[in-house]
Amino acid sequence: MVRHRSEQDPGGSDDTAEQAEFRARVQDWHDRHATVRSYDDLWRVPLYVDEARAEESFRNGRTWQRTLFEHGWAGLTWPRAYGGGGGEPWQARIFSEVAAGYEEWPGFIGATIAMLGPTLLRHGTEQQKLRFVPGLLSGELAFCQLFSEPGAGSDLAGLAMRAERDGDEFVVNGQKVWNSQAQFCDWGFLLVRTDPDAPKHRGITFLLVEMESSGIEARPLVQMNGSAHFNEVFFEDVRVPAANVVGEVDGGWAPARTVLLNESAFIGDRRGTSVVAPLSELARRHGHRHDPLVRQRLVDAWAREQMQRWMGETIQNAVRRGEPPPIDPGIMKLFAAESKRRSGDLAAALGGLAVVADTGEQARWVRHELMGRYAVSIGGGTNEVMRNNVAERALGLPREPGFDRDVPWRDIPRASASG
């Protein structure tokens, strides 16, 4: 069964005449260039154990982004001077609503556009915007995030990767980890330690680096689900032009915060990835469809998805208008983590022991959903750190006590390399 478009697209009923005309144009373009999403396959999992298939998926997303760019649909609200459409926030919202009903999507490329694009527009020089933003929007430049380190995950500002100035270049040495798709990307956005004598937040610099630079090695990390989405990336005497500094030297925490805020909002946005249909089908197949407690949990899953979509739209509209988000993105990320915990637990409860022994697609989906509840509580900032951030930023509560806020980074005790 293929759903009617009225079912695919939750918007449209409140459109103005101008918005309705725009929605029709977006719909018509997708009908001619994309594949209507089939809802027959409830158990599709965006997981590729085979490296060739993983790379193919990456390239397909990049190709679709290029198609969007060539037809004027990429960066609808971004400035025209940098390859965007210069449009209104409602245009991006409508486009997203329509696009959710089709198979093609930018995938990983879309995630990095959401994180890095606003950062460059806010903190980049005019030359950097002209050089990088059009390539980012077109998919010509694929970026990976190079932030976390073995000793700097939850406490990102404690990072140790060193970058020493040598004329018009920085020489970078160290290691990053948990870097999504780094093995496929041709650029990275990188945090380095440029002043070890400054407090940890004030000695960091944000760099853009070509992944084919001499001295960079990306090593995929095989996870327990068999995929190698993440990497550890090693830098040995890598030379990066000083012109690639985003923001100020030693002032990289500001652009890093912009990336992290947009990452939280992106992770929390569940648009187009509903779990309600497969959970309902699990309840039917395993005889729980009329269980009042199960029905209550299904309704809870549906309601939480609607709230996540509303929060995501609210945050993104504010970002597109150049305004501060009215909802702290950390709240959305925490809400998404809790929602994933609930849906993962419900999937496992409905599937029962069958999902442990079975190798079918239903069992595979349940296991993926269950494991996802742990991933989303860590990626983009652990729940514990995110709660502290929300308490301080959104609620105005006192900062968590800490001895190292104003201590030079080099004087902060750290674990040895051997652990």
Side-chain angles (χ1 to χ4, degrees):
M1 177 186 72
V2 176
R3 282 187 167 181
H4 297 296
R5 288 202 179 90
S6 60
E7 296 177 86
Q8 294 171 1
D9 179 6
S13 58
D14 297 324
D15 285 352
T16 66
E18 181 184 12
Q19 291 169 343
E21 187 275 333
F22 180 79
R23 186 183 296 274
R25 285 200 291 118
V26 175
Q27 187 81 69
D28 177 68
W29 183 85
H30 276 86
D31 285 343
R32 288 184 288 109
H33 293 88
T35 308
V36 176
R37 176 171 291 176
S38 169
Y39 287 79
D40 289 331
D41 185 4
L42 296 176
W43 316 114
R44 286 183 297 183
V45 172
L47 171 69
Y48 300 100
V49 176
D50 179 71
E51 183 179 359
R53 288 197 64 197
E55 185 171 7
E56 179 185 15
S57 176
F58 175 86
R59 295 188 184 281
N60 286 344
R62 196 171 187 174
T63 299
W64 182 243
Q65 184 63 36
R66 180 70 183 182
T67 300
L68 294 175
F69 182 79
E70 290 175 345
H71 289 83
W73 299 117
L76 277 172
T77 62
W78 293 26
R80 292 183 183 275
Y82 312 125
E88 299 294 327
W90 62 263
Q91 293 178 312
R93 171 181 59 81
I94 288 176
F95 186 89
S96 180
E97 290 174 354
V98 173
Y102 294 82
E103 298 287 351
E104 290 79 4
W105 69 305
F108 175 81
I109 298 294
T112 53
I113 290 173
M115 290 189 290
L116 182 59
T119 305
L120 290 174
L121 292 175
R122 181 174 179 180
H123 301 279
T125 65
E126 185 65 16
Q127 183 178 6
Q128 288 171 340
K129 294 174 188 177
L130 292 171
R131 179 185 178 189
F132 293 108
V133 174
L136 185 68
L137 280 177
S138 70
E140 179 184 354
L141 304 178
F143 281 82
C144 60
Q145 185 189 65
L146 300 165
F147 279 16
S148 296
E149 298 180 8
S154 296
D155 182 19
L156 179 59
L159 63 91
M161 175 175 275
R162 291 292 307 275
E164 298 177 337
R165 189 70 177 259
D166 182 16
D168 293 334
E169 296 178 316
F170 285 94
V171 181
V172 182
N173 285 278
Q175 178 189 355
K176 296 293 181 179
V177 74
W178 309 125
N179 313 117
S180 299
Q181 308 284 29
Q183 73 270 48
F184 303 138
C185 291
D186 38 34
W187 281 83
F189 47 104
L190 170 71
L191 293 183
V192 293
R193 175 75 50 193
T194 44
D195 186 359
D197 295 315
K200 59 183 182 180
H201 290 86
R202 299 201 289 271
I204 293 172
T205 297
F206 192 114
L207 295 172
L208 303 178
V209 58
E210 288 192 82
M211 293 300 289
E212 292 187 356
S213 300
S214 176
I216 297 180
E217 181 185 4
R219 301 178 187 172
L221 294 168
V222 179
Q223 302 161 69
M224 66 178 180
N225 58 16
S227 72
H229 179 79
F230 293 121
N231 293 261
E232 53 183 350
V233 182
F234 296 88
F235 285 66
E236 183 177 354
D237 293 332
V238 177
R239 291 188 168 270
V240 182
N244 289 7
V245 172
V246 177
E248 301 293 331
V249 174
D250 299 330
W253 192 244
R257 283 285 300 274
T258 303
V259 168
L260 295 173
L261 287 172
N262 282 285
E263 182 181 30
S264 295
F266 184 84
I267 291 174
D269 191 351
R270 286 293 297 271
R271 193 174 305 160
T273 57
S274 174
V275 297
V276 174
L279 287 175
S280 299
E281 179 62 16
L282 277 174
R284 187 193 68 80
R285 291 189 182 188
H286 295 277
H288 300 293
R289 195 172 187 179
H290 300 291
D291 184 324
L293 294 180
V294 170
R295 292 168 68 89
Q296 184 177 8
R297 293 171 76 177
L298 289 171
V299 170
D300 177 73
W302 177 86
R304 295 181 75 88
E305 284 190 356
Q306 305 312 305
M307 287 185 279
Q308 280 181 242
R309 291 191 174 102
W310 175 81
M311 286 191 289
E313 180 179 318
T314 301
I315 291 172
Q316 289 302 318
N317 283 344
V319 170
R320 291 167 186 140
R321 292 191 299 266
E323 300 172 358
I327 303 170
D328 191 296
I331 294 176
M332 187 173 176
K333 197 271 182 183
L334 284 168
F335 190 86
E338 174 62 16
S339 298
K340 178 64 79 171
R341 182 190 70 80
R342 296 186 185 200
S343 64
D345 286 351
L346 179 56
L350 292 172
L353 293 177
V355 304
V356 178
D358 191 11
T359 58
E361 57 182 8
Q362 173 188 309
R364 184 168 178 259
W365 182 88
V366 172
R367 290 193 292 268
H368 184 267
E369 191 68 18
L370 182 61
M371 286 187 288
R373 58 164 291 190
Y374 300 104
V376 76
S377 69
I378 298 172
T382 65
N383 286 355
E384 293 76 15
V385 169
M386 201 62 65
R387 289 190 184 100
N388 281 344
N389 291 342
V390 169
E392 295 170 10
R393 287 196 309 250
L395 302 180
L397 297 179
R399 287 183 176 273
E400 183 182 31
F403 76 94
D404 60 359
R405 191 170 304 277
D406 297 314
V407 176
W409 175 84
R410 69 164 69 250
D411 295 335
I412 299 175
R414 284 179 293 279
S416 65
S418 60

